[in-house]
Amino acid sequence: MGKGAWASGVRAGCSQAAAGPGTRSLAVKPPLPPRLFFLLLLLEAPGARASGYETCPKAQPNMLNVHLVAHSHDDVGWLQTVDQYFYDTKNNIHYVGVQYILDSVVSALLAKPTRRFIYVEMAFFTRWWHQQTNATKAIVQDLVRQGRLEFANGGWVMNDEATTHYGAIVDQMTLGLRFLEDTFGADGRPRVAWHIDPFGHSREQASLFAQMGFDGLFFGRLDYQDKKVREEMLEMEHVWRASASLRPPAADLFTGVLPNRYDPPVDLCWDSLCGNKPVVDDAGSPEYNADQVVGHVLYQAAVQSQHYRTNHVMMTMGSDFQYQNANMWFKNLDKLIRLVNAQANGSGVHVLYSTPACYLWQLHKANLAWSVKKDDFFPYADEAHAFWTGYFSSRPALKRYERRSYNFLQVCSQLEALAGPAANEGPYGSGDSAPLGEAMAVLQHHDAVSGTSKQHVADDYARQLAAGWGPCEVLLRNALAKLSGSKRDFAFCGELNVSVCPPSQMAKRFEVIIYNPLGRKIDWMVRLPVTKGAFLVKDPNGKSVPSEVVTVPSSDIQGPHPELLFSASVPALGFSIYSVARLPARRPHFHPLPPTPLEPKTRLLTIKNKHIRAAFDPNTGLLVELENLDQKLVLPVEQAFYWYNANIGDKLSSQVSGAYIFRPEQDAKPVRNSAATRLVKTPLVQEVHQNFSAWCSQVVRLYPGQRHLELEWTVGPIPVERSEDRGKEIVSRFDTPLETGGRFYTDSNGREILERRRDYRPTWDLDQTEPVAGNYYPVNTRIYITDGKVQLTVLTDRSQGGSSLRDGSLELMVHRRLLRDDNRGMGEPLAEAGTDGQGPGLWVRGRHLVLLDKAEAAAAGHRLQAEREVLAPQVVLAVGGGTPYRRGAAPRKQFSALRRELPPSVHLLTLARWDSRTLLLRLEHQFAVGEDSGRNLSSPVTLDLRYLFSAFTITHLRETTLAANQPRRAASRLQWNTNTGPVPQTAPPALDPIAVTLRPMEIRTFLASVQWKENGRTNPS
């Protein structure tokens, strides 16, 4: 939740006063009436025939209809942790408890049948639901059936749209929507996506919502310049064409911008957190204000209606953590509705309790032709000099932990599906993917992976991920034992990024199990910390494979340390087991040369394999040239690290850089113009180690057969100028002579690619106030520049902010440390002291992968490499000998769950347990239209699913919408007219398991009934 400047951190509506320090607004919790009274009220409720649009209230056709939407925006962590918000245990920050909000809302809805309320965050609602009695659950189900309690969005959280990967978005939405479907059936199915608080909106998010079956989307945050133009042009509501590859209307989504972000109109906030006067309709009271309130509402409705095209407007009556005393809100809204409608004939205004879905239904009935938008809503600025582009990179360590956890969750879910029930209950105990699935869902919240929560909340997000890893590790042990036929002492190394792994460093003999979650075979360079010496490595067939021990420099106090390298070949959706044994003491294969001072030389320092050559200036130590040997491309590329001074306010604006906002001073400065270097060359790896400063270093690396250059950077602790409270923001920059015409390209949540133009917005004339921050965009997996012939692409291992601030250049922000709060509600600077909370700052390590290609062939490289980066192999160690999993079972050292590899253009997005006999399966075409790369990769692909998997047999297949909450053929969405002309409607194809066709960028989702195989025989459960 990024906010305005409220001293207490509690926003109580636009321009509303929050509870002051030292005061507390108590949430009144009315007692629930007896059940008989509940049922009588339910029987009296109007429109209780069916769920959906049929339950919507009646509007007045010849009047201005004001739809009052009662809602509470409940952040799943921000200033408090998830548990603190739910229970109200840390009330010195926020006087809020979500459990009381839901208690109070249910009571208030039952008090009067015309009242309505919407709820969004399933992470909170499910927790509350499981604490209710059966009687209360039945009451809530009736309220949902009547449309009086309506769910909007329905995901586990309201996810961020800039720093989230599309796979994690789909997972968290599936988790929430499945709960609603299981609990309420079609009555609880949301029809409207409600993203009122994310700080900018991605095109891919809209595409995913459309594929999930949503009829529309409403959001609150829009760039202040964009909003002004849209209000003037009456384009606050439009159709978003959210894919350049999917045939309309598959990714078309009606989209509306709310008029007041998501707050009530000024002076109309009647929550215990607000300071507005209640409606006093007693004419004999000296506090009487009914006429004034009515006049104000009519004025607000008239102003709002000037910016929208129909005789319907929506007013959001609620805000952050409101309705703890729902009676306070509803009592005033009841009066408001009665008073305004009493003079409706004269005012022409009709006010009614409504929901976003009911409002959308009225817009659809208007049968207008709407404008079409094809780009996205990034970057977002709420005023001049305040671009919300800092959070693209905030908390880089948490962003990496989230991405690693997504990787691990997919491995865990796949093995749970492949091994069947044995994965959940086995020799190592009870394993489960659900805890990590729920933790990952929480991390998608727009104040979690975004890096915009308080430090103790960010620590709690990391705690939830760590707690989720444990049950998955048990699951992996059970599954690997079953699939390999051998019980071993499996061990996990969670600190390989800092070269720590006790099993490999202490054991004389151990096995390395490498699991590949991709649908194609991979060759993977395994790196494990060891002690000094030499090792013998054997593949699954007992054949020796080349290995090396290299010494790795360290950024911590432990100093340099050795690592064992060997290349492993792993089959598709399967594992290979390699054995490692320490050899008797002898000299290691390689001793790196000690660093020596650089002397002027004429020849370039180079590393290369058969595909790539990288050259470095011997005087500066910087990368200066990259060559693609296959395509005979040579490109001058200079890479170095730079830092921006964080702005602490100037004569143009008092705005500072913070967790949300990026506002640098002038141009970036180099960390250092040169780097101390040393060269490492062995048969298995070539590296240039660069040391830019005591807090900034990098290893540039090439493995045999690798088609990209790997840059492993280490940054931190960032030195800061405490005397001025001035922070620094660090970028890695690549400069080339490419003539790029102000254009560069970034991915949208890891899927489709969007063109960006410097100092330009496609839908309005930009008044650029911040030439650096105003040109930053979210980079989830890749950014590239091209002159139409040559393309330079950089892949990331986490979400980062990036840009091209001059032709031929691109940069990515890798770390930031700030000493001032940016006044958007978090209330503390983004300082990140370190792992113990007391240190000089956090140091972070990450990787950039650089690809140089001909433009027409580049997509194959960056798409397939991004897939390998997001779903990297999982390494598990086993020390000591194993025992048979069951008597007579032959152990195996290699396994693939696929009978045949997937084609390069097909990605296995999801393979997970759904229930005791059903799996959730998602297959996607991962290339866009026009990305053939000379290999026909953008063509439709047809698969036979019947005998695709070897671990189980599919006995029945059902196709669903993307979130798996409704059958695809039965799903229908509202269709919208556009000013670009009619769109042909096509029914989904009949499902034929023998021939499942995927078109470019298409995702198809299935629920597959399966029988697992046991020792070559089918096992039904």
Side-chain angles (χ1 to χ4, degrees), residues 204-280:
E204 189 60 38
Q205 180 76 60
S207 177
L208 296 176
F209 278 147
Q211 295 174 67
M212 290 173 188
F214 285 97
D215 286 328
L217 161 68
F218 292 99
F219 66 75
R221 294 190 182 273
L222 177 69
D223 185 275
Y224 73 104
Q225 294 183 44
D226 193 2
K227 183 176 182 180
K228 181 179 179 181
V229 172
R230 289 186 176 277
E231 287 179 335
E232 294 172 352
M233 300 296 293
L234 299 184
E235 291 188 349
M236 292 287 277
E237 294 164 334
H238 58 274
V239 171
W240 199 347
R241 186 147 293 160
S243 173
S245 292
L246 297 176
R247 185 179 303 165
D252 287 2
L253 188 66
F254 184 89
T255 302
V257 183
L258 299 174
N260 198 33
R261 209 153 50 188
Y262 57 86
D263 301 315
V266 63
D267 295 330
L268 298 178
C269 183
W270 295 300
D271 192 80
S272 55
L273 298 174
C274 303
N276 295 161
K277 293 181 179 179
V279 180
V280 180

Side-chain angles (χ1 to χ4, degrees), residues 64-68 237 259 300-302 304-308 310-315 352 359 363:
L64 175 61
N65 293 273
V66 180
H67 295 248
L68 303 181
E237 294 164 334
Q300 292 289 341
Q304 188 171 323
S305 68
Q306 295 175 7
H307 306 308
Y308 294 83
T310 73
N311 63 323
H312 295 268
V313 294
M314 188 193 325
M315 289 186 180
L352 65 157
Y359 174 74
L363 299 187

Side-chain angles (χ1 to χ4, degrees), residues 34 117 210 257 270 272 351 396 461 489 662 694 697 772 885 887 894 995:
F117 188 84
V257 183
W270 295 300
S272 55
V351 183
Y461 288 138
D489 185 11
F662 174 37
S697 62
V772 176
Y885 183 75
R887 184 177 300 175
Q894 200 162 51

